[in-house]
Amino acid sequence: MNLKGQVCTVNSVYDGDTMRVTRDGKRMKVRLYCIDAPELAQRPLGSEARKVLRAITPEQVVVDTKGKDRYGRVIGEVFTADEDRENLNLAMIWSGNAAVYEKSCNDRQYYQAEDEAKKLQSGIWGKPGDHLRPWAWRHRH
C-alpha cells in the first residue's frame, strides 16, 4: 500500500521505531525508515526510546512509504500532519534515542543527525552500558 503523503491516525507506538496506524479503515504497522531504536529488552534504553516516540507522535501523521520489510510492515518516513511536517524519524536520531540503520539508509541527513547526537552525547550516546546498535544487540541475544 502506497501511503505517500497520506494522513493516518496513530493507534499505538509499539517501540522506538514501530507504530500502528489506520488509514481508510485499514490498520497497518509502520517501521520507521532509516532508524533502529534499542529493543525493549535493552533496559532502560528501549523503554526510553518508546517513551520519546510516544511523546513526539501526534494523533495524526503523514507516512511517506519507502517499501515493506521482510515482516510485511510498511517502511516509511513519518511526519507530523500539521503544516510544520516535522520528521519523526530524524527527531529520534537527533534526540539520541535511535541509531541510523546503515543496512537500509543512504540518506545523508540521518548520518549528520547521528553525528550531532554523538557530539552532544544525547540519549544512547551519553550513557554507559549496553547501548550497542540495536541490530548488533539482537545478533548477540
Side-chain angles (χ1 to χ4, degrees), residues 34-36 93 98-102 105 110-111 114 125 133 135:
C34 258
I35 78 169
D36 201 4
I93 298 288
V100 173
Y101 191 46
E102 296 171 358
C105 186
Y110 285 90
Y111 293 94
E114 183 178 87
W125 309 115
R133 294 181 186 251
W135 58 90

Side-chain angles (χ1 to χ4, degrees), residues 10 15 17 26 32 36 44 46 59 63 67 82 85 95 98 101 106 109-110 119 133 135 141:
V10 176
D15 59 20
D17 56 28
K26 182 171 169 74
L32 276 65
D36 201 4
E59 191 174 308
V63 178
D82 59 12
R85 290 282 198 257
S95 68
Y101 191 46
N106 59 5
Q109 67 181 335
Y110 285 90
K119 282 182 203 169
R133 294 181 186 251
W135 58 90
H141 291 86

Side-chain angles (χ1 to χ4, degrees), residues 16 20 23 39 54 57-58 64 82 106 127:
R20 291 181 179 93
R23 185 180 70 91
E39 297 298 321
R54 283 179 173 167
T57 300
D64 184 0
D82 59 12
N106 59 5
K127 297 186 185 211

Side-chain angles (χ1 to χ4, degrees), residues 1-6 8 16-19 21 28-36 53 61-69 72-79 86-90 92 104 107 110:
M1 168 177 262
N2 185 353
L3 297 176
K4 199 170 206 80
Q6 298 296 316
C8 301
D17 56 28
T18 308
M19 62 178 61
V21 303
M28 65 205 79
K29 272 190 180 180
V30 177
R31 173 73 163 75
L32 276 65
Y33 168 73
C34 258
I35 78 169
D36 201 4
L53 185 57
V61 296
V62 174
V63 178
D64 184 0
T65 302
K66 303 293 185 182
K68 286 199 172 194
D69 69 8
R73 297 177 296 191
V74 170
I75 298 172
E77 274 186 301
V78 179
F79 300 87
E86 180 185 355
N87 183 325
L88 300 181
N89 305 45
L90 272 175
M92 290 298 289
S104 65
D107 189 330
Y110 285 90

Side-chain angles (χ1 to χ4, degrees), residues 93-94 96 108 111-123 125-126:
I93 298 288
W94 280 321
R108 188 71 204 135
Y111 293 94
Q112 291 169 340
E114 183 178 87
D115 289 345
E116 266 311 298
K118 286 178 180 178
K119 282 182 203 169
L120 296 171
Q121 295 187 328
S122 300
W125 309 115

